[in-house]
Amino acid sequence: MAKTIQAVRGMNDILPEASAAWQFLEDTLRRVIHSYGYREIRLPLLERTELFRRSIGEVTDIVEKEMYTFDDRNGDSLTLRPEGTAGCVRACMQHGLLHNQVQRLWYAGPMFRHERPQKGRYRQFHQIGVEAFGMPGPDIDAEIIMMTAQFWRALGLEDAVLQLNSLGTVEARAGYRDALVDYLRSRENELDDDSRRRLDSNPLRILDSKNPDMQAVIAEAPQLSAHLDDDSRRHFDELCRLLDDADVACEINPRLVRGLDYYSKTVFEWVTDKLGAQGTICAGGRYDGLVEYLGGRATPAVGFALGLERLIALLEVCGIEPRGAAPHVYLVLSGEQAERHGMVFADELRNAVSGLRVQTNCGGGSFKSQFKRADRSGAAVALVIGDEEVERREVTLKPLRGGGEQETVSRQVIADRLRELVAAEQIRDTAG
Ligand code: HAM
């Protein structure tokens, strides 16, 4: 037999067993984001390659080696989006959303990076991102970081740690860069190949190196904080005060530099030690220069993105297992009349009882096999209709979980019973 076709490496199916957790995660995040008054923007998966080259930076890992880039039939170079910020800025500029107004936006969807797949790192992964435009002060930085803290509260996650740093303005960073390169050159024989390569192109990224042999050199490197300009320092101090007022604890990490070039001033990451090497669940910062750099009017901006696969993994590690949406009712049909009538009856039930989930047996089968399917569906009750019941306008209700007697009742009574079932589930959900 021919080998069946498999998914592309690093690109995962999300199977029905997993989708309850995804829905819980996405619904919870969306609810929190909306509670801050952010509005959704939906963006294409494909953009012109140039957009990412210019915004993420030519000498970043993403642009140098991770983009899915191809020429389309017209010979235009297009790229599957590796992240959402660049496309969001492009769309805002194209549609005039940044003229004399502020914007609070969010987006969700798959991103694509040709990385080496491993636990927590995939080639297609999902982000929810938030971007705020037109607000220069530390108040909006504090708002979006407070929003991230609310995510963890709403999800029941307790031990993510917030790391915070300021990269300063582009000019301040240029001064720091010179000092750093001088230092690194003085210890060039201790650098690994990757770092030596980055010495001229992107020396700040050397600070991010995970190579244990590099840690001594990194630890003694000059610190960016010593080169911060006054405005960035004030901005950072005020942000720290606002977070303190809001009881959002943070660790200042002077080595936090981020892997994308567009940042200035505030950068932050939420990390957990429960996921092994890929422990960053949320990351972002301020990118005041990007809109102007891409040809728009200078517009301050700040945002972040969450890695949903990592959050799903973290929910699982923490034992937070949302219940799936199994049907309340499985409709067992026996006889010609019942089979003819079943679909319509199921719709009557759905219309009569708000929130009711009904699965109707399709494709016939013996009583026994229908009950087997009913059980596998996870339904709380089976409703049985035979030809006689159709005639008498009755239904037999058989609880499938937690015991209880089978009973035959009129169609009128059944809707009330099912309403009670749905209400009981809602009460359980709010209590849990
Ligand atoms: P990023 O740090 O590249 O930032 O990605 C944000 C998050 O996406 C990461 O912290 C991680 O949770 C998740 N992530 C990244 N790559 C992968 C991967 N290969 N597999 C699984 N998860 C991954 C950005 O993308 C910026 N656009 C964030 C931002 C928005 N900054 C300002 N606004």
Side-chain angles (χ1 to χ4, degrees), residues 119-425:
K119 187 169 160 279
R121 174 174 286 172
Y122 308 102
R123 290 182 172 172
Q124 174 175 325
F125 59 98
H126 296 79
Q127 288 186 341
I128 286 187
V130 163
E131 316 287 356
F133 295 97
M135 291 161 275
D139 46 0
I140 187 70
D141 302 25
E143 176 177 283
I144 65 163
I145 293 174
M146 284 162 68
M147 183 196 295
T148 55
Q150 289 287 349
F151 290 149
W152 320 140
R153 221 173 68 102
L155 291 168
L157 295 172
E158 275 164 7
D159 49 12
V161 172
L162 172 63
Q163 300 202 339
L164 196 61
N165 192 20
S166 175
L167 297 182
T169 58
V170 175
E171 298 76 40
R173 207 150 70 243
Y176 172 64
R177 188 190 145 114
D178 291 344
L180 182 65
V181 171
D182 284 349
Y183 163 79
L184 291 170
R185 284 218 188 286
S186 75
R187 299 184 67 167
E188 199 163 346
N189 54 346
E190 295 167 70
L191 303 185
D192 61 11
D193 287 349
D194 223 22
S195 303
R196 237 177 250 137
R197 200 173 52 81
R198 284 182 163 144
L199 202 50
D200 290 315
S201 56
N202 201 349
L204 262 69
R205 287 289 282 161
I206 297 176
L207 301 177
D208 232 14
S209 166
K210 304 284 182 287
N211 182 350
D213 297 341
M214 289 286 302
Q215 297 314 307
V217 180
I218 291 172
E220 287 160 35
Q223 296 216 347
L224 181 58
S225 52
H227 292 257
L228 273 195
D229 51 290
D230 288 345
D231 182 34
S232 297
R233 193 184 306 281
R234 269 196 304 275
H235 188 103
F236 191 63
D237 290 346
E238 183 57 21
L239 172 61
C240 291
R241 250 194 306 278
L242 289 167
L243 291 179
D244 195 41
D245 287 349
D247 261 345
V248 178
C250 69
E251 276 176 11
I252 309 233
N253 177 358
R255 314 234 169 264
L256 182 66
V257 291
R258 310 274 302 120
L260 305 93
D261 275 0
Y262 48 59
Y263 293 108
S264 56
K265 292 188 177 163
T266 313
V267 286
F268 67 94
E269 291 189 355
W270 283 93
V271 289
T272 168
D273 57 10
K274 294 209 159 124
L275 295 179
Q278 308 305 324
T280 306
I281 50 176
C282 169
R286 186 164 271 284
Y287 50 98
D288 289 344
L290 184 59
V291 176
E292 189 176 19
Y293 185 65
L294 291 176
R297 203 178 301 164
T299 306
V302 60
F304 65 81
L306 304 151
L308 298 192
E309 279 76 3
R310 295 185 191 177
L311 282 167
I312 290 285
L314 187 57
L315 288 173
E316 199 180 317
V317 171
C318 296
I320 302 167
E321 285 168 39
R323 257 197 316 264
H328 299 104
V329 174
Y330 191 94
L331 200 55
V332 173
L333 304 172
S334 164
E336 217 174 285
Q337 283 297 320
E339 278 185 10
R340 266 190 65 186
H341 197 68
M343 292 286 176
V344 176
F345 176 55
D347 264 359
E348 283 169 13
L349 286 178
R350 293 185 187 104
N351 293 339
V353 182
S354 151
L356 183 71
R357 297 185 294 274
V358 184
Q359 219 172 74
T360 311
N361 188 75
C362 286
S366 67
F367 235 49
K368 196 170 156 202
S369 72
Q370 291 197 44
F371 266 100
K372 222 184 218 166
R373 284 185 218 155
D375 200 46
R376 209 174 291 153
S377 76
V381 299
L383 288 188
V384 186
I385 321 184
D387 288 348
E388 273 178 32
E389 276 101 342
V390 173
E391 219 133 88
R392 291 206 297 263
R393 296 197 58 76
E394 282 180 353
V395 187
T396 298
L397 184 151
K398 185 172 178 347
L400 295 172
R401 331 228 147 230
E405 288 298 306
Q406 170 173 322
E407 51 183 332
T408 301
V409 287
S410 75
R411 295 262 180 107
Q412 259 129 25
V413 172
I414 202 69
D416 288 337
R417 287 290 164 79
L418 296 178
R419 238 172 249 125
E420 283 164 22
L421 195 74
V422 174
E425 177 189 71

Side-chain angles (χ1 to χ4, degrees), residues 15-123:
L15 299 178
E17 294 85 80
S19 58
W22 280 80
Q23 283 160 6
F24 165 72
L25 176 63
E26 290 163 349
D27 290 349
T28 308
L29 297 172
R30 207 179 300 129
R31 189 160 38 76
V32 173
I33 293 171
H34 285 162
S35 76
Y36 282 79
Y38 285 62
R39 297 182 304 155
E40 186 181 13
I41 183 164
R42 297 194 182 197
L43 303 159
L45 299 193
L46 277 176
E47 297 277 358
R48 293 185 181 281
T49 303
E50 193 195 353
L51 175 70
F52 300 118
R53 285 191 178 284
R54 287 179 58 190
S55 38
I56 296 170
E58 290 280 357
V59 285
T60 54
D61 281 352
I62 296 179
V63 169
E64 275 186 338
K65 45 189 188 195
E66 294 171 0
M67 295 205 304
Y68 282 91
T69 298
F70 62 95
D71 287 346
D72 77 356
R73 287 171 192 276
N74 304 328
D76 293 328
S77 179
L78 304 181
T79 293
L80 275 171
R81 62 182 186 191
E83 58 103 52
T85 308
C88 186
V89 169
R90 196 262 317 133
C92 286
M93 287 166 52
Q94 182 173 336
H95 300 287
L97 302 189
L98 305 178
H99 287 159
N100 303 321
Q101 55 191 316
V102 301
Q103 290 290 350
R104 286 176 159 89
L105 303 174
W106 70 276
Y107 51 82
M111 308 291 161
F112 303 85
R113 296 183 194 176
H114 196 274
E115 302 197 74
R116 195 167 56 79
Q118 53 186 284
K119 187 169 160 279
R121 174 174 286 172
Y122 308 102
R123 290 182 172 172

